[in-house]
Amino acid sequence: MKIYATYNIKGGVGKTTTAVNLAYLSASESGLRTVLWDLDPQGAASFMFRVKPRVKGGGKALIRGTRALDAAIKGTDFDNLDLIPADFTYRNMDLLLDSGGGRGAGSRGKPARKLSKLLAPLAAEYDAVFLDCPPSISLVSENVLHAADVIVVPLIPTTLSVRTLDQLTEFVAGFNGHRPDVLAFFSMVDRRKKLHNEITEHLSSERAEVTVTAIPYLSLVERMSVERAPVTVFAPRSAASRDYRALWAEIQRRYDGSASNPASGAPAAPAG
């Protein structure tokens, strides 16, 4: 089981749209048994997948182990794709993670590794887990960084965004034991802006942790909240769908050794 987390300290950079589209592509086009955990109390990913953002017992029950994580899983409208919904009580998850003890929640003194322990049993049922994270620097985000195999970081191409990536990379490099790979991609790229073009071209060619694929600023991506579906579902032949497919193919090439669709054997769409 491989765990991907879409994460950025900043909000409004495309974390949720990325998580929703990549999780859908993982399930539908790569044929992987996939689950997405919506960790953001705002519940945008849950909304897009038409699942009520509520967990019985709330985040407290999950973190303390009185409700198993797999008991909170809901199906979606798509084969191979399940969802662990958001819950408004997740706004208090930092406090819950920091309160030691609880059945199955990990030992006292290791609050940054509790999510890892909660996710471990899912390996029996799923090939891929996606974590849609709230924008923050917090104990929740630290848990996510310790739990994930790959941190997928959407970046708007500005100097401050690049600085944020450097800070994240430096923080992860200081971990003892398991360290996730950090993979950034440029999101919401406006090709009319000279700065966007310059930063995108420079960083993609100079830094190995930045993908070749970029996601442009497109109105179809914004329509996901209206259609309540991945863009690859309601506009499968669009430029937005092509770019998300290319991003997922690039991620697979880097971490799974293949960009092919195991269900059909067809190669993924190239970046354009």
Side-chain angles (χ1 to χ4, degrees), residues 85-155:
D87 192 281
F88 195 54
T89 61
Y90 289 178
R91 70 191 188 279
N92 299 318
M93 192 173 282
D94 274 350
L95 298 175
L96 297 170
L97 289 167
D98 199 32
S99 61
R103 293 177 293 171
S107 61
R108 186 181 298 273
K110 293 185 178 180
R113 301 184 185 274
K114 287 184 179 179
L115 288 190
S116 295
K117 293 182 179 293
L118 287 177
L119 290 165
L122 298 184
E125 298 294 332
Y126 294 99
D127 304 308
V129 176
F130 287 82
L131 305 176
D132 183 28
C133 310
S136 65
I137 304 175
S138 65
L139 189 53
V140 173
S141 56
E142 190 171 351
N143 264 264
V144 166
L145 296 177
H146 279 288
D149 298 300
V150 183
I151 307 296
V152 181
V153 185
L155 293 177

Side-chain angles (χ1 to χ4, degrees), residues 11-12 17 21 34 55 71 91 128 178 202 214 217 238 254:
T17 53
N21 280 296
T34 303
V55 172
R91 70 191 188 279
H178 170 75
H202 175 70
Y217 183 84
S238 65
R254 287 172 178 253

Side-chain angles (χ1 to χ4, degrees), residues 10-247:
K10 298 172 67 66
V13 298
K15 293 187 302 297
T16 295
T17 53
T18 300
V20 166
N21 280 296
L22 295 187
Y24 172 76
L25 290 169
S26 168
S28 66
E29 299 196 4
S30 296
L32 302 176
R33 299 170 300 169
T34 303
V35 62
L36 187 155
W37 189 358
D38 185 358
L39 285 164
D40 193 333
Q42 297 178 83
S46 301
F47 176 81
M48 289 186 194
F49 280 122
R50 302 172 184 268
V51 175
K52 186 175 181 180
R54 183 178 182 276
V55 172
K56 187 175 181 180
K60 182 177 181 179
L62 296 179
I63 299 303
R64 294 193 174 180
T66 57
R67 182 172 178 79
L69 189 61
D70 60 3
I73 293 172
K74 305 292 183 182
T76 71
D77 293 335
F78 308 108
D79 292 340
N80 290 328
L81 180 56
D82 293 332
L83 177 81
I84 302 171
D87 192 281
F88 195 54
T89 61
Y90 289 178
R91 70 191 188 279
N92 299 318
M93 192 173 282
D94 274 350
L95 298 175
L96 297 170
L97 289 167
D98 199 32
S99 61
R103 293 177 293 171
S107 61
R108 186 181 298 273
K110 293 185 178 180
R113 301 184 185 274
K114 287 184 179 179
L115 288 190
S116 295
K117 293 182 179 293
L118 287 177
L119 290 165
L122 298 184
E125 298 294 332
Y126 294 99
D127 304 308
V129 176
F130 287 82
L131 305 176
D132 183 28
C133 310
S136 65
I137 304 175
S138 65
L139 189 53
V140 173
S141 56
E142 190 171 351
N143 264 264
V144 166
L145 296 177
H146 279 288
D149 298 300
V150 183
I151 307 296
V152 181
V153 185
L155 293 177
I156 295 176
T158 66
T159 302
L160 290 179
S161 291
V162 175
R163 181 173 178 270
T164 298
L165 174 62
D166 291 336
Q167 291 173 327
L168 173 61
T169 302
E170 183 178 352
F171 179 64
V172 168
F175 284 6
N176 292 320
H178 170 75
R179 297 177 187 173
D181 288 308
V182 176
L183 183 66
F185 72 96
F186 286 111
S187 175
M188 303 174 70
V189 178
D190 188 342
R191 294 296 184 185
R192 298 169 299 179
K193 295 181 178 180
K194 182 179 179 181
L195 181 62
H196 278 213
N197 289 321
E198 289 176 348
I199 291 178
T200 300
E201 292 169 9
H202 175 70
L203 267 295
S204 297
S205 62
E206 295 292 330
R207 296 179 62 157
E209 74 273 24
V210 178
T211 66
V212 174
T213 308
I215 305 297
Y217 183 84
L218 294 169
S219 59
L220 270 178
V221 177
E222 293 182 331
R223 281 200 63 82
M224 286 175 59
S225 59
V226 177
E227 301 290 342
R228 298 183 71 178
V231 69
T232 42
V233 171
F234 66 85
R237 299 183 182 277
S238 65
S241 292
R242 178 199 65 197
D243 291 333
Y244 277 115
R245 286 190 175 96
L247 178 61

Side-chain angles (χ1 to χ4, degrees), residues 247-267:
L247 178 61
W248 176 236
E250 187 169 350
I251 291 171
Q252 286 189 295
R253 281 195 297 270
R254 287 172 178 253
Y255 301 109
D256 296 330
S258 172
S260 295
N261 176 348
S264 68

